[in-house]
């Protein structure tokens, strides 16, 4: 059962949002009819919303009403109304198992939403598209759209806990149960999670525990979801969650509990034309009756399941039907023999046996004809669907080739940009002329990086900077090139000496470069967090200025924090305040560490949490006793081990210098 209500809720007027069938807007038609023509935009939203609500009990009626809303929005050229209606219609087709039409609706809605730059609508559409692709077993596209939805929702700070649920369901569909349960729990920890979403999260956890064969935990989670459905007075939710629990009973071998529950759910699914629920209930009822050796009913429900599920293999269907028919006839013959043994005379038993054989033969032939009829019907429909899929496949292949060419051109350009960025970073050979023992771990999240390091000799002094620019990938790389360019100009060109003066001037250059000269009301707040050092190795002194970052000096296994100013090198509420210059006396064998936030902010470990700065400092103290080469190798290996299979979330740069 899809939690489509949670996906569509963005588009509906708050004045008509209710939970439970007793509060569906049956009376809303009275509000729609009197509206004047200049209020057609409101009428369109009401019709679409009404169609969505009707779809909970009658998909066909809901579809007709939602299409009325779409036609009215098209007539008024009301684009937001068109997006709203198309998204609702797509969810109805998805419940009808017409995934091709559903994707067509979502694609058109997405195109218009992109034109309107409606980020909130896009996050909902991405989630719907992702769920549809997952249903079609297309994990790559499904994962892409669901994570795009999560990204937008987080940027908008809107409803992202709902996206955690969909990502959990995605991992569950592909049997990555641990990942699924992680995202379900992540959704439950959000303070703004509503009661409906909580019900779906409990249902998702129930299916996860069911996959792990932890049936007691699965039943507890299902009961929590069903209790919320009762509280909301929603039959749609109640029977959907009950179907899940019935499937769990079958897997657990509790056939007596499963049978009446699945029969009630199947009846409700038929009345509401809920195709996916019918398929699930029929399949599990077949398993129930097959286990109970009631082969007549098992055959009936398997035929019903096969008829509804076009994707099932026809040969497999016929094979199962023949096996069930044989078991059914063998069982009847055994009963006949036992009955004949109880008869008084051979003559009467023989006559009765012939009569029963005739009846069984007629029944058997009838069952064979019915099974063959359904098989032919399924074959014709499947052939028709294959023709449509072949046409769609050709279109998709053409689009895929176009996307491949565009992606290759973009990737080639970014790879060339990577070469330029590497060329502008200070070479290790140049640094080694001033520092005999050092290491630099530089791991971009994408091809190019928003983190950069820079060094420049000036007499007996060595200037060194490590910076974390706003963003990562291409935007971060552009900012890093800007920073490197200005640093070269300030130190080499203008001959500035003090670290705070250089950073003050760098901030002004960045603010000036990123200011919108044509629009004073809009000014970018991009910039960088950085540490800027001036080493004098003969005097063992370190002058430094730090912006939203710090330096860690490890001396005899103890960490010393060298903190700076709480403001970035860029526009901020404190950009009129001068940066501070700090002085620190070094000692031989001190280890000086600088790092961006990519290393401590990485998710990983056994619980999938952030590493954080304190454990990283403890790690630096532990590794500081190793050689420089061993430190670099150990810190690189630890990061990879901590991250595991999770995605790297940011650029990583860590520098270690031995005095």
């Amino acid at each position: 059962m899809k939690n489509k209500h949670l996906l569509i809720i963005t588009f509906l007027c708050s004045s008509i949002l209710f939970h439970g069938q007793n509060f569906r807007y049956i009376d809303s038609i009275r509000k729609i009819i009197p509206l004047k023509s200049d209020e057609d935009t409101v009428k369109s939203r009401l019709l679409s919303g009404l169609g969505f609500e009707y779809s909970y009990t009658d998909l066909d009626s809901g579809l007709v009403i939602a299409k009325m809303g779409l036609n009215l929005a098209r007539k008024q050229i009301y684009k937001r109304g068109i997006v709203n209606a198309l998204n609702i219609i797509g969810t109805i087709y998805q419940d009808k198992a017409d995934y091709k039409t559903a994707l067509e609706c979502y694609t058109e809605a997405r195109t218009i939403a992109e034109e309107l730059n409606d980020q909130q609508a896009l996050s909902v559409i991405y989630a719907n598209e992702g769920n549809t692709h997952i249903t079609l077993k297309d994990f790559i596209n499904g994962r892409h759209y669901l994570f795009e939805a999560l990204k937008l929702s987080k940027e908008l700070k809107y409803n992202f806990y709902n996206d955690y649920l969909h990502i959990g369901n995605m991992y569950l569909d592909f049997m990555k149960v641990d990942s699924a349960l992680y995202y379900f729990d992540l959704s439950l920890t959000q303070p703004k999670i509503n009661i409906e979403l909580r019900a779906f999260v409990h249902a998702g956890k129930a299916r996860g525990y069911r996959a792990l064969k932890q049936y007691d935990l699965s039943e507890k989670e299902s009961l929590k979801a069903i209790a919320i459905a009762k509280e909301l007075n929603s039959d749609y939710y109640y029977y959907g969650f009950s179907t899940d629990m019935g499937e769990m009973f079958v897997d657990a071998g509790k056939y007596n509990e499963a049978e009446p529950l699945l029969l009630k759910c199947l009846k409700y699914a038929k009345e509401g034309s809920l195709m996916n629920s019918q398929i699930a209930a029929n399949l599990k009822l077949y398993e129930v009756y097959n286990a109970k050796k009631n082969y007549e009913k098992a055959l009936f429900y398997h035929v019903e399941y096969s008829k509804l599920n076009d994707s099932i293999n026809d040969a497999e269907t016929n094979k199962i039907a023949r096996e069930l028919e044989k078991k059914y006839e063998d069982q009847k013959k055994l009963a006949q023999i036992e009955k004949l043994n109880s008869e008084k005379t051979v003559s009467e038993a023989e006559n009765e046996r012939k009569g029963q054989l005739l009846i069984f033969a007629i029944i058997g032939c009838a069952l064979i004809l019915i099974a063959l009829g359904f098989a032919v019907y399924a074959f014709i429909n499947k052939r028709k669907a294959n023709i449509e899929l072949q046409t769609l496949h050709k279109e998709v292949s053409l689009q895929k080739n176009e996307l491949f060419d565009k992606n290759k051109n973009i990737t080639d350009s970014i790879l060339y940009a990577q070469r330029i960025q590497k060329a502008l970073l200070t070479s290790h050979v140049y640094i080694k002329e001033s520092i005999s023992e050092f290491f630099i771990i530089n791991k971009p999240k994408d091809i190019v990086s928003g983190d950069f390091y820079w060094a420049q000799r000036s007499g007996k002094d060595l200037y060194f900077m490590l910076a974390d620019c706003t963003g990562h990938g291409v935007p971060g790389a552009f900012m890093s090139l800007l920073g490197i360019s200005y640093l070269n100009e300030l130190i080499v060109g203008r001959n500035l000496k003090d670290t705070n003066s250089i950073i003050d001037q760098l901030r002004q250059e960045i603010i000036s470069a990123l200011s919108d000269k044509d629009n004073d009301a809009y000014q970018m707040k991009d910039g960088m967090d950085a540490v800027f050092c001036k080493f004098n190795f003969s005097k063992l002194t370190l002058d430094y200025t730090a912006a939203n970052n710090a330096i860690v000096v490890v001396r005899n296994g103890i960490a010393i924090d060298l903190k700076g100013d709480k403001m970035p090198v860029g526009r901020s509420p404190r950009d009129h305040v001068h940066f501070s210059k700090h002085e620190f006396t070094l000692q031989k064998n001190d280890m000086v560490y600088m790092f961006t936030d990519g290393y401590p902010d990485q998710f990983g470990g056994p619980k999938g949490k952030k590493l954080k700065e304190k454990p990283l400092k403890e790690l630096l103290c532990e590794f500081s006793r190793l050689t420089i080469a061993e430190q670099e190798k150990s810190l690189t290996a630890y990061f990879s081990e901590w991250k595991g299979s999770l995605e790297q979330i940011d650029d990583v740069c860590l520098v270690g210098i031995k005095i």
Side-chain angles (χ1 to χ4, degrees), residues 421 442-452 468-473 476-477 596-599 602 639 648-653:
Q421 186 181 43
N442 188 25
K443 296 175 68 66
K445 178 184 183 299
D446 302 307
I447 298 173
V448 289
S449 174
D451 292 356
F452 74 90
D468 180 1
C469 300
T470 303
H472 48 75
T596 60
D597 58 7
Y599 201 120
Q602 178 61 45
F639 180 83
Q648 184 175 330
I649 65 167
D650 200 359
D651 300 320
V652 171
C653 194

Side-chain angles (χ1 to χ4, degrees), residues 283-438:
L283 177 60
K284 288 301 177 181
L285 282 169
Y286 148 69
E287 293 181 18
V288 168
Y289 290 119
N290 190 46
K292 288 186 171 185
K293 298 184 179 181
N294 189 337
Y295 301 118
E296 182 178 6
K297 287 188 177 181
L299 177 62
F300 171 78
Y301 285 107
H302 193 276
V303 169
E304 287 294 303
Y305 161 74
S306 301
K307 180 174 65 174
L308 294 170
N309 187 10
D310 289 337
S311 64
I312 198 167
N313 184 274
D314 290 332
E316 182 182 352
T317 304
N318 292 333
K319 179 181 178 182
I320 293 174
R322 286 195 300 270
E323 290 177 354
L324 287 172
E325 182 182 338
K326 184 177 183 303
K327 290 179 180 179
Y328 172 68
E329 289 182 356
D330 290 345
Q331 188 181 54
K332 289 295 184 181
K333 287 178 181 178
L334 182 60
Q336 174 196 354
I337 292 171
E338 291 176 353
K339 186 174 181 180
L340 285 174
N341 290 334
S342 66
E343 295 295 333
K344 292 182 180 180
T345 64
V346 176
S347 175
E348 290 176 352
E350 183 66 18
N351 291 335
E352 186 173 347
R353 187 182 69 84
K354 290 180 179 179
Q356 289 179 341
L357 284 175
L358 179 60
I359 293 171
F360 295 148
I362 293 172
I363 293 173
C365 290
L367 289 173
I368 291 172
L369 289 174
I370 291 171
L372 288 174
F374 282 130
V376 171
Y377 177 81
F379 175 79
I380 293 172
N381 283 344
K382 184 176 181 181
R383 185 176 180 183
K384 181 179 178 181
N386 284 339
I387 294 173
E388 294 177 356
L389 285 173
Q390 287 175 1
T391 304
L392 181 63
H393 179 70
K394 290 180 180 178
E395 296 174 0
V396 171
S397 295
L398 290 173
Q399 294 175 0
K400 181 180 179 181
N401 291 335
E402 292 176 3
L403 287 173
F404 177 81
D405 291 337
K406 291 179 180 179
N407 184 62
K408 185 178 184 301
N409 291 335
I410 293 171
T411 302
D412 289 344
S413 297
I414 296 175
L415 287 171
Y416 189 76
Q418 181 191 44
R419 293 169 58 189
I420 295 173
Q421 186 181 43
K422 285 184 176 179
L424 291 175
L425 293 175
T426 306
S427 71
H428 284 45
V429 174
Y430 181 90
I431 297 172
K432 203 167 185 65
E433 291 175 4
S434 300
I435 307 173
S436 58
E437 292 187 272
F438 74 96

Side-chain angles (χ1 to χ4, degrees), residues 3 17 41 71-72 89 139 154-155 158 164 176 200 215 231 254-255 277 290 299 335 365 499 534 564:
N3 55 330
L17 283 178
T41 56
N71 292 335
L72 190 58
I89 292 169
F139 179 76
K154 283 189 173 181
E155 290 175 358
Y158 173 80
Y164 289 145
K176 297 184 177 182
F200 280 98
Y215 299 119
E231 182 180 345
K254 297 181 179 181
Y255 303 116
S277 296
N290 190 46
L299 177 62
C365 290
T499 57
K534 182 170 76 172

Side-chain angles (χ1 to χ4, degrees), residues 210 242-252 258 262 280-281 284:
R210 172 183 153 202
S242 295
T243 301
D244 288 343
M245 190 161 73
E247 292 181 281
M248 180 274 295
F249 281 146
V250 174
D251 291 350
L262 289 172
K284 288 301 177 181

Side-chain angles (χ1 to χ4, degrees), residues 164 204 235 302 487 506 572 576 623:
Y164 289 145
D235 286 349
H302 193 276
L487 283 169
L506 176 61
S572 75
H576 61 284
F623 291 161

Side-chain angles (χ1 to χ4, degrees), residues 380-546:
I380 293 172
N381 283 344
K382 184 176 181 181
R383 185 176 180 183
K384 181 179 178 181
N386 284 339
I387 294 173
E388 294 177 356
L389 285 173
Q390 287 175 1
T391 304
L392 181 63
H393 179 70
K394 290 180 180 178
E395 296 174 0
V396 171
S397 295
L398 290 173
Q399 294 175 0
K400 181 180 179 181
N401 291 335
E402 292 176 3
L403 287 173
F404 177 81
D405 291 337
K406 291 179 180 179
N407 184 62
K408 185 178 184 301
N409 291 335
I410 293 171
T411 302
D412 289 344
S413 297
I414 296 175
L415 287 171
Y416 189 76
Q418 181 191 44
R419 293 169 58 189
I420 295 173
Q421 186 181 43
K422 285 184 176 179
L424 291 175
L425 293 175
T426 306
S427 71
H428 284 45
V429 174
Y430 181 90
I431 297 172
K432 203 167 185 65
E433 291 175 4
S434 300
I435 307 173
S436 58
E437 292 187 272
F438 74 96
F439 69 84
I440 299 175
I441 298 172
N442 188 25
K443 296 175 68 66
K445 178 184 183 299
D446 302 307
I447 298 173
V448 289
S449 174
D451 292 356
F452 74 90
Y453 56 89
W454 174 92
Q456 177 66 45
R457 288 193 307 274
S458 178
K460 294 183 178 180
D461 297 325
L462 174 71
Y463 292 91
F464 191 99
M465 182 170 183
L466 177 67
D468 180 1
C469 300
T470 303
H472 48 75
V474 174
F478 274 117
M479 185 66 69
S480 73
L481 298 181
L482 198 64
I484 292 171
S485 175
Y486 283 131
L487 283 169
N488 289 328
E489 178 184 348
L490 293 173
I491 294 178
V492 179
R494 302 187 194 180
N495 198 30
L496 297 179
K497 298 296 184 181
D498 292 332
T499 57
N500 58 331
S501 300
I502 294 168
I503 295 300
D504 279 337
Q505 192 60 43
L506 176 61
R507 176 173 59 187
Q508 293 307 313
E509 296 291 350
I510 289 174
I511 291 174
S512 176
L514 299 180
S515 296
D516 190 337
K517 309 302 188 294
D518 299 321
N519 184 3
D520 292 335
Y522 177 75
Q523 301 296 336
M524 296 178 65
K525 295 184 179 180
D526 295 324
M528 61 186 72
D529 299 336
V531 288
F532 187 73
C533 305
K534 182 170 76 172
F535 291 95
N536 188 309
F537 296 104
S538 60
K539 296 180 180 180
L540 292 179
T541 60
L542 167 60
D543 295 346
Y544 73 92
T545 296

